[in-house]
Amino acid sequence: MSQFRALLGVLRASGGGPLWRGGGVTLTRCRPHPRRECSSEATPSQTVISSSSYVEDMYFAWLEDHKTVHESWDTFFRNIHSSSTPGEEAERRPSALLQGRVAPHSPDMTQKVVEDHLAVHTLIRAYQIRGHHVAQLDPLGILVADLDSFVPSDLITSIDKLAFYGLHESDLDRSFRLPHTTFIGGGETTLPLREVIQRLEASYCGHVGVEFMFINNVAQCQWIRQKFETPGIMRFTSAEKRTLLARLIRSTRFEDFLARKWSSEKRFGLEGCEVLIPALKTIIDSSSAAGIDSVIMGMPHRGRLNVLANVIHKDLNQIFCQFDPKLEAADEGSGDVKYHLGMYHERINRETDKNITLSLMANPSHLEAVDPVVQGKAKAEQFYRGDMFGKKVMSILMHGDAAFAGQGVVYETFHLSELPSYTTYGTIHVVVNNQIGFTTDPRMARSSPYPTDVARVVNAPIFHVNADNPEAVMYVCRVAAEWRNAFNKDVVIDLVCYRRFGHNEMDEPMFTQPLMYKQIQRQEHVLKKYSDKLISEGVVTLQEFEEEVAKYDKICEDAYSSAKDEKISHIRHWLDSPWTTEGEPKSMTCPPTGLDEEVLQHIGKTASSVPVKDFDIHPGLSRILRSRADLVRNGQLDWALGEYMAFGSLLKDGIHVRLSGQDVERGTFSHRHHVLHDQKLDKRTYVPMNHLWTDQAPYTVCNSSLSEYGVLGFELGFAMASPNALVLWEAQFGDFHNTAQCIIDQFISSGQAKWVRQNGIVLLLPHGMEGMGPEHSSARPERFLQMSKDDPDHFPEFGGDFEVQQLYDCNWIVVNCSTPANYCHVLRRQILLPFRKPLIIFTPKSLLRHPDARSSFKDLAKGTRFKRLIPDEGPSSHSPDRVRRLIFCTGKVYYKLTKERKQQNLEKDVAIIRLEQISPFPFDLVKAEVEKHKSAELVWCQEEHKNTGYYNYVRPRLLTVVANKRPIWYAGREPAAAPATGNKSTHLNELKKFMDTAFNLSGFRERND
Ligand SMILES: Cc1ncc(C[n+]2csc(CCOP(=O)(O)OP(=O)(O)O)c2C)c(N)n1
Ligand SMILES: [Mg+2]
């Protein structure tokens, strides 16, 4: 018996009690007036007939007066009536049916009609929801795309399964009224069941599997149903088919050409998924037709050269010459292998005759790491172009099946997709699902049915398609582009394909996938299959096909000849985000970063007031603003004001400032408060920084999702779009940056060396040993310093503007400012430098409110600048040659040291020097200090453990400064595995111990003796 009939039976047997429970849901059974109470709310499809007598009640009420029931019931019963045969109709005339309440047969027959319709509707819905599970997606026909060969009985693939729905073979020729949730009828409103099933199978179980019924938006579901169910919708003109064939020829012959010329070179060819090229081109054509003129793409290794050649249209000789082992590198830096390089190209889209800019972002080997970077870059382009809803700029991300399922950053990136400050208004994802990851079978590589399931979290529709059916692929790509244009939401195309060779061309796949590769060897090439098809259809002749092949082969041969003339490789030709200002800076100087007093006053006033009427802020915030106002009145700055001065003054100069990270709007430590919240009205906010000057640049401050990898990658991408922006990412606590380590290692530290691409991103990393335990304490300065490329053993020459030259030469700048003014200066310097370089700032926690850690407006006055090193200006400076100990330190420990020195009355004996810029190491200034304090012992003091912090970076450089002639002593915590202790008293004991070491003026001498 069908589940449906069984349900009705149970209901009838229950005797109409007040409640029934099923599937964990409690439904109230309502009988009396059909229009009021739940009956007026519940529609036929929602009810799914929770009670047979309920339906009967409804039906009889409708027969008495159509208006007494909800209009959806009215439509429902009308449909049933109109699909009945004439004989049945006569029998069911209202009067007959009403009498039928008395006559024994009629209600049963009515019930059967209702039940059968509901069964057909349920069947239609089953196809829509789960038809993709039985679609023929694998071109090899050996694996099942959802990793499950079991066909559930509600998925009808043959008529014998009709019984599941309580239907019978004899029902196949009965006509049924179609619900408004299907488009299989085309112009028809009723169809025989046989036709219903055939059309559903064609729509949902052929070479396309559409996964979309989890989307909880009716309009979007209807849109998709219409795109896939409408009869004959997947038709192509001859011209379209010819274009598709031509693109497939290029894609296939490109790989063939590379294989012929460089048979022993790795190229991560596209063989088995050649259709990717026409797929991308179709997406771009359709998007261009919809108004898109800039497409930013990210992709992994597979097929990358082909995409560069045939989608972006990079000159073929530029690609081919990369295979030449004698090619010399013109640029400094490491460069990168050819299948990681990026590219930027403006051209005319031939299909639409419109301009289009395509850029493929350079990426590291780390799969999926580029995803958030692409999104950030796309968002920035949209932002700077005023493309408010992504109608001009869009992103496309390509993925491998194993990586898409396995890498967490994919999920993190999806979660940015709908956030106001991070959305790119819909990304088209294309998965090259070759059903293998290197040597690993998908059954061992993921727990989800499809590699694409991660996309379901954001309600993105997923179009699975058999990649050996190029027309189906084209159709799906067109729909995906239209979807993005219609709804500005993400969409996924899952190209179910195979990988004809090993992971790379040198790899033997038969070691691990013997059966799969036996099948692959038998598999006819898609180009052969499709060209045969078009020839048999008469769309092209064999001769035309062969001519097209020969034409492209000649293009490749010609490019191959001219590639031989290329002797030097310029990575600049591979830039994915060129800036007009890029290249050698005109002068290696940086102007002072100080500000006019009135600018400081103006920013200070805005920062400490609420410049809108009737806006109630929290009383605690009022207190904070009052104390800010006091500071401003006294010409003083705390940390938050220092930051305000930097941002506000840059905004004044037309520099966009964007600060992103977890809880940055208020600030983790509640010191910033850049967004004011009205205490009475939900979502009424005010950002004073955006109301500083009439023609200022915009300020963006945005709380991010709880992701470091995704958000830092995004901001890095954002910072790539323009040099005229200060883009900052703040970690909640500095140590959390380690979950974004890949972005730091692969892009920030080494990006310029690999891809000659500058980036001025700023990382704000709260750091400090404050007894808060092993976590939340250290931003791991040692890691950043270890990756700094300045040579510890080389003493540089100090010609010209050494400070700026050194910054230009390094891979990033690492600072730890001890004063708000210096923090402000370094942020301003970041923009006033004639080039862009990543800046890592260890920012304070307790110093944010420390009364000693304040600056005066004078420290920011016109003509002042960032101090890379702050000398001791206290009593020790009066007679430096009498100073017995010179302590170098950085950051917050300075304040502990000065306090202790005072207590021990050693202010003349000990000088304390603050290193504000740690890397690149200020050799010039350190040298001057060392020479000034000739007879002093040299000590490095840090609050971090000896194996962490700065010591291992600073020590060899200090030794280089003194030419190894004076010892460098250490005062700080002992080596340790955890960054800090979790025990408060241990923390204080450690502090006391190293403070004692720092000021025991005979301690090191004893060790020396
Ligand atoms: C983060 C990361 N881990 C591991 C690797 C090593 N690796 C390179 S390709 C590959 C398999 C990728 O499989 P898939 O995503 O399906 O792409 P395909 O090579 O099949 O196109 C692996 C594991 C890598 N590049 N990146
Ligand atoms: Mg794969």
Side-chain angles (χ1 to χ4, degrees):
M1 192 192 282
S2 77
Q3 286 178 352
F4 180 66
R5 280 179 211 281
L7 176 62
L8 290 176
V10 170
L11 286 169
R12 219 169 282 130
S14 74
L19 291 174
W20 69 278
R21 286 168 199 281
V25 183
T26 306
L27 297 176
T28 305
R29 182 162 184 247
C30 47
R31 284 180 66 88
H33 198 284
R35 206 156 166 75
R36 269 184 267 124
E37 300 174 356
C38 63
S39 58
S40 63
E41 300 300 324
T43 61
S45 58
Q46 285 163 336
T47 309
V48 193
I49 311 311
S50 57
S51 155
S52 64
S53 49
Y54 173 69
V55 178
E56 284 168 19
D57 288 345
M58 202 63 78
Y59 184 64
F60 288 115
W62 178 77
L63 288 174
E64 278 169 48
D65 177 359
H66 292 6
K67 292 200 185 97
T68 56
V69 298
H70 185 275
E71 61 188 33
S72 56
W73 281 110
D74 182 29
T75 318
F76 182 70
F77 293 130
R78 276 177 203 275
N79 284 346
I80 287 170
H81 268 249
S82 59
S83 66
S84 309
T85 61
E88 287 169 343
E89 181 57 36
E91 208 176 316
R92 286 184 196 160
R93 273 196 304 273
S95 58
L97 279 160
L98 277 173
Q99 285 156 16
R101 282 195 111 159
V102 187
H105 299 299
S106 300
D108 277 356
M109 294 195 67
T110 307
Q111 189 173 314
K112 162 116 177 79
V113 175
V114 172
E115 284 176 12
D116 288 352
H117 267 82
L118 287 169
V120 171
H121 291 194
T122 310
L123 180 150
I124 292 172
R125 215 174 150 74
Y127 274 98
Q128 292 171 336
I129 297 173
R130 286 149 46 81
H132 56 87
H133 285 298
V134 290
Q136 296 147 40
L137 299 175
D138 177 16
L140 302 175
I142 48 175
L143 255 184
V144 190
D146 66 356
L147 303 183
D148 189 354
S149 54
F150 175 74
V151 179
S153 47
D154 64 328
L155 289 176
I156 305 290
T157 49
S158 61
I159 53 166
D160 63 314
K161 301 231 179 87
L162 281 176
F164 179 84
Y165 295 92
L167 294 167
H168 189 264
E169 209 179 325
S170 62
D171 292 321
L172 283 173
D173 294 316
R174 269 177 68 202
S175 277
F176 288 86
R177 188 93 187 163
L178 299 169
H180 69 280
T181 50
T182 189
F183 294 82
I184 52 171
E188 310 289 323
T189 52
T190 61
L191 281 181
L193 178 57
R194 189 187 302 282
E195 188 65 23
V196 168
I197 293 175
Q198 270 170 13
R199 291 191 187 187
L200 286 169
E201 295 214 336
S203 300
Y204 291 112
C205 307
H207 283 160
V208 178
V210 194
E211 232 190 315
F212 69 107
M213 287 291 280
F214 49 81
I215 296 175
N216 42 30
N217 177 307
V218 178
Q220 291 170 6
C221 286
Q222 283 294 80
W223 189 93
I224 293 174
R225 285 191 273 246
Q226 191 262 327
K227 293 287 178 193
F228 289 96
E229 293 181 357
T230 306
I233 198 161
M234 214 184 285
R235 273 198 206 113
F236 291 85
T237 63
S238 292
E240 286 167 338
K241 290 180 183 182
R242 289 167 71 95
T243 302
L244 172 50
L245 180 68
R247 289 172 172 180
L248 207 50
I249 288 172
R250 287 179 166 243
S251 169
T252 309
R253 300 300 292 183
F254 177 80
E255 297 295 352
D256 289 353
F257 187 82
L258 293 187
R260 266 203 316 280
K261 297 291 184 196
W262 296 280
S263 56
S264 55
E265 277 278 335
K266 278 192 209 171
R267 64 190 152 85
F268 296 103
L270 201 48
E271 291 96 336
C273 194
E274 290 91 341
V275 82
L276 176 70
I277 300 302
L280 289 173
K281 290 179 84 84
T282 304
I283 294 171
I284 293 166
D285 293 346
S286 302
S287 303
S288 162
I292 292 289
D293 61 23
S294 174
V295 181
I296 297 159
M297 295 188 267
M299 74 174 296
H301 48 283
R302 188 149 324 278
R304 198 179 173 96
L305 296 177
N306 210 327
V307 169
L308 283 169
N310 288 317
V311 179
I312 318 257
H313 289 193
K314 172 115 195 132
D315 291 341
L316 288 178
N317 56 331
Q318 285 290 325
I319 296 177
F320 295 160
C321 72
Q322 294 292 319
F323 285 89
D324 180 354
K326 290 200 225 83
L327 192 71
E328 281 176 35
D331 309 87
E332 282 185 19
S334 62
D336 204 347
V337 291
K338 47 193 166 293
Y339 40 81
H340 287 165
L341 296 173
M343 168 69 189
Y344 170 96
H345 193 199
E346 281 180 48
R347 64 185 183 86
I348 300 276
N349 179 283
R350 291 214 192 103
E351 295 300 305
T352 58
D353 240 1
K354 293 184 186 174
N355 268 325
I356 190 139
T357 301
L358 303 171
S359 84
L360 176 67
M361 306 287 285
N363 63 257
S365 185
H366 293 57
L367 294 166
E368 306 291 346
V370 81
D371 298 1
V373 184
V374 168
Q375 299 300 68
K377 167 110 188 295
K379 179 74 185 176
E381 273 202 24
Q382 289 172 350
F383 181 82
Y384 295 125
R385 290 183 55 180
D387 180 18
M388 298 294 284
F389 302 103
K391 295 297 175 199
K392 298 274 167 216
V393 181
M394 70 176 279
S395 56
I396 300 178
L397 287 178
M398 280 157 267
H399 316 266
D401 53 323
F404 198 49
Q407 290 290 308
V409 70
V410 175
Y411 178 88
E412 294 186 35
T413 307
F414 268 115
H415 265 284
L416 296 176
S417 67
E418 306 256 345
L419 306 180
S421 299
Y422 302 84
T423 180
T424 53
Y425 305 100
T427 299
I428 301 185
H429 299 263
V430 183
V431 182
V432 173
N433 179 0
N434 51 20
Q435 310 182 81
I436 193 165
F438 208 147
T439 67
T440 303
D441 184 312
R443 290 168 292 188
M444 303 300 140
R446 64 175 192 259
S447 295
S448 60
Y450 294 103
T452 51
D453 286 314
V454 60
R456 294 172 61 132
V457 296
V458 294
N459 273 335
I462 300 160
F463 306 145
H464 307 280
V465 56
N466 185 320
D468 264 12
N469 182 340
E471 287 179 9
V473 172
M474 286 326 99
Y475 184 71
V476 156
C477 290
R478 197 180 289 169
V479 174
E482 287 167 5
W483 163 272
R484 195 236 171 230
N485 186 44
F487 299 108
N488 285 111
K489 281 175 62 73
D490 282 25
V491 52
V492 178
I493 299 161
D494 178 21
L495 296 176
V496 187
C497 56
Y498 60 93
R499 190 187 71 195
R500 186 165 283 280
F501 303 114
H503 173 60
N504 61 58
E505 289 64 31
M506 309 298 105
D507 229 29
E508 173 52 83
M510 292 288 272
F511 287 148
T512 50
Q513 270 74 27
L515 299 184
M516 186 187 204
Y517 274 82
K518 269 185 201 137
Q519 176 57 36
I520 289 174
Q521 279 159 14
R522 287 194 290 269
Q523 190 80 4
E524 201 165 15
H525 289 253
V526 68
L527 178 60
K528 170 87 175 81
K529 283 200 267 187
Y530 192 58
S531 56
D532 284 355
K533 176 176 181 287
L534 294 200
I535 291 166
S536 72
E537 283 176 12
V539 174
V540 286
T541 63
L542 176 63
Q543 190 190 345
E544 282 170 328
F545 168 65
E546 285 172 351
E547 278 169 10
E548 188 71 24
V549 171
K551 192 170 102 192
Y552 187 65
D553 285 356
K554 178 159 183 333
I555 292 173
C556 290
E557 281 297 347
D558 291 349
Y560 179 70
S561 309
S562 60
K564 288 186 184 144
D565 301 335
E566 302 279 346
K567 300 283 176 244
I568 294 174
S569 165
H570 296 269
I571 303 184
R572 261 162 236 291
H573 293 162
W574 297 82
L575 261 181
D576 56 18
S577 326
W579 294 335
T580 43
T581 52
E582 216 161 21
E584 288 285 318
K586 289 200 182 69
S587 79
M588 264 315 162
T589 55
C590 180
T593 43
L595 292 160
D596 280 333
E597 167 83 18
E598 349 131 23
V599 171
L600 295 173
Q601 281 294 345
H602 177 73
I603 299 173
K605 274 187 196 129
T606 309
S608 51
S609 57
V610 186
V612 242
K613 282 201 180 122
D614 304 325
F615 195 97
D616 289 323
I617 58 166
H618 190 273
L621 181 56
S622 298
R623 270 196 304 281
I624 293 174
L625 296 191
R626 271 200 302 278
S627 52
R628 265 189 203 170
D630 288 344
L631 284 175
V632 174
R633 223 171 292 117
N634 296 326
Q636 284 201 308
L637 306 157
D638 63 5
W639 208 267
L641 272 172
E643 188 177 81
Y644 233 106
M645 298 302 173
F647 291 3
S649 57
L650 291 172
L651 293 171
K652 180 173 186 289
D653 295 342
I655 299 295
H656 169 229
V657 179
R658 177 180 163 101
L659 171 63
S660 151
Q662 291 152 34
D663 307 296
V664 295
E665 294 176 6
R666 189 201 72 174
T668 300
F669 311 101
S670 202
H671 69 292
R672 183 175 285 132
H673 295 285
H674 282 184
V675 180
L676 310 180
H677 291 257
D678 193 323
Q679 298 290 304
K680 294 213 185 95
L681 267 179
D682 184 34
K683 290 191 184 154
R684 187 175 178 218
T685 54
Y686 187 78
V687 181
M689 196 86 82
N690 264 324
H691 302 274
L692 279 166
W693 329 93
T694 44
D695 50 357
Q696 68 169 81
Y699 174 53
T700 311
V701 56
C702 40
N703 288 348
S704 73
S705 67
L706 211 168
S707 147
E708 285 80 23
Y709 193 170
V711 177
L712 178 56
F714 187 96
E715 300 312 332
L716 179 95
F718 203 106
M720 243 169 231
S722 165
N724 298 319
L726 183 71
V727 180
L728 309 97
W729 174 75
E730 183 173 71
Q732 185 116 76
F733 284 92
D735 48 355
F736 292 123
H737 81 254
N738 58 11
T739 65
Q741 197 66 49
C742 178
I743 298 293
I744 294 168
D745 291 358
Q746 264 57 44
F747 290 89
I748 302 180
S749 145
S750 56
Q752 189 179 352
K754 293 192 284 195
W755 310 311
V756 289
R757 185 174 60 191
Q758 297 185 11
N759 196 301
I761 190 162
V762 180
L763 271 60
L764 302 179
L765 305 177
H767 170 81
M769 314 291 275
E770 295 176 353
M772 289 175 75
E775 268 66 69
H776 299 133
S777 292
S778 176
R780 298 294 201 166
E782 65 278 7
R783 298 217 177 124
F784 292 93
L785 294 173
Q786 191 219 16
M787 282 190 274
S788 292
K789 78 164 190 140
D790 62 335
D791 188 342
D793 305 321
H794 173 69
F795 193 77
E797 283 173 24
F798 308 137
D801 199 330
F802 172 69
E803 171 183 354
V804 180
Q805 184 63 49
Q806 208 189 12
L807 296 176
Y808 184 70
D809 291 340
C810 71
N811 55 329
W812 56 18
I813 306 162
V814 182
V815 304
N816 188 0
C817 303
S818 64
T819 69
N822 226 18
Y823 175 51
C824 176
H825 278 301
V826 81
L827 290 175
R828 287 181 49 74
R829 185 183 75 169
Q830 189 66 356
I831 292 299
L832 294 179
L833 282 172
F835 48 83
R836 294 291 168 260
K837 202 63 72 166
L839 170 64
I840 318 297
I841 309 184
F842 301 114
T843 56
K845 295 175 286 179
S846 59
L847 284 198
L848 295 173
R849 296 183 178 80
H850 199 296
D852 294 345
R854 284 192 184 149
S855 301
S856 133
F857 277 19
K858 284 196 204 103
D859 301 320
L860 276 186
K862 201 115 190 107
T864 56
R865 53 174 71 231
F866 174 66
K867 292 180 177 158
R868 290 175 289 149
L869 176 150
I870 305 184
D872 198 327
E873 284 164 358
S876 71
S877 62
H878 304 315
S879 39
D881 40 351
R882 283 185 42 207
V883 168
R884 295 166 62 193
R885 182 168 284 186
L886 186 59
I887 300 182
F888 288 94
C889 68
T890 185
K892 150 178 161 279
V893 75
Y894 168 78
Y895 293 97
K896 287 264 184 268
L897 286 168
T898 46
K899 195 169 158 207
E900 185 69 26
R901 177 176 64 174
K902 189 162 189 194
Q903 272 169 9
Q904 296 202 25
N905 202 16
L906 290 173
E907 284 176 304
K908 285 191 183 140
D909 304 285
V910 179
I912 305 176
I913 310 292
R914 281 172 276 176
L915 217 54
E916 303 278 302
Q917 177 177 300
I918 309 157
S919 181
F921 194 71
F923 281 100
D924 50 343
L925 303 180
V926 171
K927 185 173 193 295
E929 288 302 316
V930 168
E931 285 175 355
K932 194 160 74 180
H933 301 88
K934 281 199 175 53
S935 44
E937 283 178 329
L938 305 178
V939 177
W940 174 258
C941 179
Q942 64 176 34
E943 55 176 0
E944 294 79 4
H945 289 281
K946 194 172 183 180
N947 55 324
T948 66
Y950 322 88
Y951 178 60
N952 287 322
Y953 174 86
V954 169
R955 185 183 150 80
R957 287 164 179 81
L958 278 175
L959 283 170
T960 300
V961 169
V962 296
N964 288 306
K965 297 216 169 80
R966 291 163 72 177
I968 310 297
W969 300 103
Y970 172 75
R973 287 184 161 88
E974 302 286 315
T981 173
N983 181 292
K984 194 86 186 177
S985 96
T986 312
H987 169 77
L988 294 173
N989 285 340
E990 286 171 352
L991 177 65
K992 182 172 178 329
K993 201 169 156 208
F994 81 75
M995 279 293 146
D996 288 348
T997 311
F999 291 104
N1000 177 359
L1001 298 190
S1002 54
F1004 296 129
R1005 214 173 312 130
E1006 281 160 17
R1007 279 196 232 170
N1008 233 358
D1009 294 339

